[in-house]
Amino acid sequence: MARIFAHRGMSAIAPENTLAAIGQCADYGVTWFEADVDIIADGTVVVIHDSHLDRTTNRTGSIYDLQASDLENIDTGSWFSQEFAGEGLPTLAQLVELMNEKKLNGNIEIKSNEQGTERTYQLIDAVIAELEKLDDDREVLISSFNQLLLAELKRRAPHLRLGVLFSKEALGYDWRSIVELVGADAIHVDEDGLTREMVQIARSAGVEINVWTVNSRARANELINWGVDGVITDEAHTFIELESGR
């Protein structure tokens, strides 16, 4: 049975990577979501896709200049709809609380931090520390395009499950070697250009394959029939019945 992941939460009906968008997963029976995290100036891990505030908030500038005290005053909802005006920029700690409260499972994508090695290590350690607060019945999968980051995270927290993100340009014949060197459990691949043969190769190697970002219902159904393990979509609220094959 394939899983449906709500990409950045219920991003078609609520502002992406907000507690509102992720909390709505439970309302639609979606148990898995995907969200992006990075680290701000004081070491707080926040949930946001971009390293700049401009696209999804009422502020401009780099997230790397922020302190935790700034977060509640950042509006991440008005750009989407006035219904979500005042929605704050969430922390990973708040997200973990929401996962426990709503019984949600998460694919946490760690962004490729732009501030160098020391800050990347700080990000890795902070993510590990926050995820330790998840209830025992919660599941989490950590993904990133940064393979070195994932390998270091696995070294520090071997119990965590990892997924290597590949763009269609980066998915070469060496993917299996990369997965094994990283110590990953899954590959997350661009749906554009993915073939049935590629899915079968991954499955036969015992590697979980999750596909992003699939917003066509016909394509999602095709991929599920091919045997993918998960579909990451902006349309989770309408795709959820595909999870059980109904």
Side-chain angles (χ1 to χ4, degrees), residues 41-58:
D42 66 357
T44 302
V45 180
V46 295
V47 183
I48 192 170
H49 181 273
D50 303 349
S51 59
H52 281 74
L53 296 162
D54 306 51
R55 183 176 65 86
T56 58
T57 83
N58 64 336

Side-chain angles (χ1 to χ4, degrees), residues 165-229:
L165 271 157
F166 289 100
S167 65
K168 64 178 179 179
E169 295 82 9
L171 185 63
Y173 292 107
D174 61 345
W175 68 265
R176 185 173 179 180
S177 297
I178 292 170
V179 166
E180 291 177 357
L181 286 165
V182 167
D185 305 275
I187 55 174
H188 291 192
V189 299
D190 189 342
E191 68 96 10
D192 187 14
L194 185 65
T195 66
R196 183 192 292 266
E197 180 183 12
M198 294 166 68
V199 173
Q200 290 173 340
I201 290 170
R203 296 280 293 182
S204 65
V207 176
E208 180 180 318
I209 180 166
N210 300 310
V211 188
W212 56 272
T213 302
V214 186
N215 291 331
S216 161
R217 188 182 183 87
R219 178 62 164 160
N221 196 59
E222 179 180 49
L223 291 168
I224 290 170
N225 287 335
W226 287 356
V228 303
D229 295 279

